[in-house]
Amino acid sequence: MLTNISIKNYALIDHLNVAFTNGFTVITGETGAGKSILLGGLSLVLGKRADLSSLRDKTVKCIIEAEFLVDKYNLKRFFEKNDLDYEDTTIIRREIQPSGKSRAFINDSPVTLDILSKLGDRLIDVHSQHQTLQLTDNDFQLKVVDALADNSAKLQKYRDALKLYQSLTKELQELIEFRDNASKEQDYNSFLLKELESAPLKEGILEELEEQYEQLNNVESIMEQLAAGNQVLNDEQVGVVEALSQLKQITSKLSGYGTQYTSLNERVQSVFIELDDISSELENYIENTEVNPKLLEEVNGKLQLLYDLQKKHSVLTISELITVREGLSEKVSTTENIEGAIKEKEERLLNGREILEKFALDIRKRREKVIPSLKKQLESALIPLGMPSASFKIEIKPAKDYKVTGKDNLIFLFSANKGGNYGELKKVASGGELSRIMLVIKAILAKYENLPTIMFDEIDSGVSGEISSQMGVIMKNMSLDMQVFSITHLPQVASKGKQHYKVKKTEDNKGTTTSLYKLSDEERVIELAEMLGGKERSDSAMVHAKELLNGA
């Protein structure tokens, strides 16, 4: 419920601060007085984009603030989802800087226009003549039927199931596309994998093979050096081993003459043992080193294979080749198992479709059950609005596809005249008829849904007399369960208001200013009299005005 609105520096409004109560509030004023300005200001706090030209004083920022009582609207989840502080009394503020920059706040937390607009949709329904066209939209018509059928919880379950069904459908399609594309590459990927699996891929293998290749490729030189080394050690005349053997005998004799000679002998003995071991190892190398062209060719082949694979897969290391092999292995394995994955997804999709179909059928049955009641309520409510022969033909037909509204097409046809042909609302109903039908539908919805505040912007345009009075009665009755505003030019409607505000435009040396103020009982009589007979306010107009108020 809108409890207060404050507007500063907007269009013709210098500073306006008005408090509202529940029930039926009417707003009147002469044409051009600024009722549209009031709606424009309100639309800014509901998320409409700002326009710098709307600033009254281009050097001062525009501030519009609206206060709402939201405790009955179940909005705590919305506030939590958008990381906002929830307050039963919520304040929305919009600021437009002279630079053109705009900011929006909910309970002092900055928000985007998208969030502001979503919250605004839940707080106020500003109903203009343009929005009457919404009545011809099939989704809106289904919303009316669903309100009577109490389908809200059912539709939420259906939409959750639809979301899962659509997700599974997408996943299945992706699997099928992957299979179709992969099958073309499967043979090639298998060949590449087999090639890598046959290669000796392990960490350090390249360095190991390169060292082995160097030895095999230079085996003759190695053999020469080994032989030369062996000769140096073991020559009978000047061999190092023979010389060191003689030295060992000398130091052994010296070791009995003191500890220093003992230490020297031990060192020579140690060198002799090490050199003897080296000599044995050299002889072993000589014995086991031979020219082996076959092994050289084999090692060279492995090296060339690894080099070629690195080049083929555009990598520099064996580790990267191993990663490529693992990736190919996964691709080949996935492709080989894809049919099983597709079958499993198809089974899940079939199960999801059965659940979805069950929900859709349940929703359809509930819709069909309430259609006779909706038809009766609509036709009965339109009789006092000058449409005694109005008739509706409403049917539910199964649709081929699953939609967010269910799996139904709604046939919503109308005839204004007895015996007339039925047709779509947008084709056969006049603007005035659409306005009255929309008013009746909103009144019906108010019985079944916790609707937000509704503001009718001249919904009574084009009607007069008793019909306008009956429209006023409908809006007044709606206000028993919700807050209702009506901007009107008709005294019959204005007289039904619980409170009456007037938009007034004044001119002075500083310019033109629009203001909004609440009328007292006496001022209401005068306002209604002027609406009935003009500024002169004849005695008969005054009497009629009092009768309207007393009869309301």
Side-chain angles (χ1 to χ4, degrees), residues 166-181 342 345-346 349:
Q166 290 172 333
S167 177
L168 289 171
T169 301
K170 182 180 178 182
E171 290 170 10
L172 176 60
Q173 186 60 38
E174 288 174 350
L175 281 175
I176 292 172
E177 288 178 2
F178 177 82
R179 179 195 63 189
D180 293 344
N181 292 328
I342 289 174
K345 196 72 68 177
E346 286 174 338
L349 191 63

Side-chain angles (χ1 to χ4, degrees), residues 294-307:
K294 185 178 180 181
L295 181 59
L296 175 61
E297 185 179 354
E298 182 182 327
V299 171
N300 184 53
K302 289 180 180 180
L303 277 174
Q304 290 305 316
L305 173 62
L306 293 178
Y307 292 149

Side-chain angles (χ1 to χ4, degrees), residues 200-241:
L201 298 184
K202 64 178 183 179
E203 295 292 345
I205 186 64
L206 195 61
E207 293 79 6
E208 182 182 320
L209 288 171
E210 286 174 339
E211 181 180 298
Q212 189 178 8
Y213 175 81
E214 283 298 313
Q215 291 177 5
L216 289 168
N217 194 44
N218 296 282
V219 66
E220 292 179 353
S221 175
I222 292 172
M223 291 173 68
E224 288 177 6
Q225 298 304 319
L226 288 172
N230 186 54
Q231 185 176 0
V232 169
L233 288 174
N234 297 298
D235 188 274
E236 291 183 0
Q237 299 299 321
V238 292
V240 176
V241 173

Side-chain angles (χ1 to χ4, degrees), residues 111-214:
V111 295
T112 63
L113 286 189
D114 181 58
I115 293 175
L116 188 63
S117 179
K118 287 177 180 177
L119 178 60
D121 288 342
R122 301 189 183 200
L123 297 178
I124 292 190
D125 176 9
V126 179
H127 183 81
S128 63
Q129 292 180 10
H130 171 70
Q131 286 173 306
T132 300
L133 294 175
Q134 185 185 35
L135 178 59
T136 65
D137 181 69
N138 204 250
D139 286 349
F140 178 78
Q141 294 165 355
L142 275 172
K143 179 183 176 183
V144 177
V145 175
D146 286 328
L148 272 69
D150 192 23
N151 266 341
S152 179
K154 299 282 184 182
L155 276 167
Q156 187 56 55
K157 288 183 179 180
Y158 165 85
R159 284 166 184 156
D160 290 342
L162 177 61
K163 187 176 181 181
L164 176 60
Y165 179 77
Q166 290 172 333
S167 177
L168 289 171
T169 301
K170 182 180 178 182
E171 290 170 10
L172 176 60
Q173 186 60 38
E174 288 174 350
L175 281 175
I176 292 172
E177 288 178 2
F178 177 82
R179 179 195 63 189
D180 293 344
N181 292 328
S183 62
K184 301 172 185 176
E185 302 174 2
Q186 179 71 351
D187 291 343
Y188 182 58
N189 286 338
S190 296
F191 167 75
L192 291 177
L193 177 62
K194 188 175 181 180
E195 192 176 46
L196 287 170
E197 286 178 335
S198 64
L201 298 184
K202 64 178 183 179
E203 295 292 345
I205 186 64
L206 195 61
E207 293 79 6
E208 182 182 320
L209 288 171
E210 286 174 339
E211 181 180 298
Q212 189 178 8
Y213 175 81
E214 283 298 313

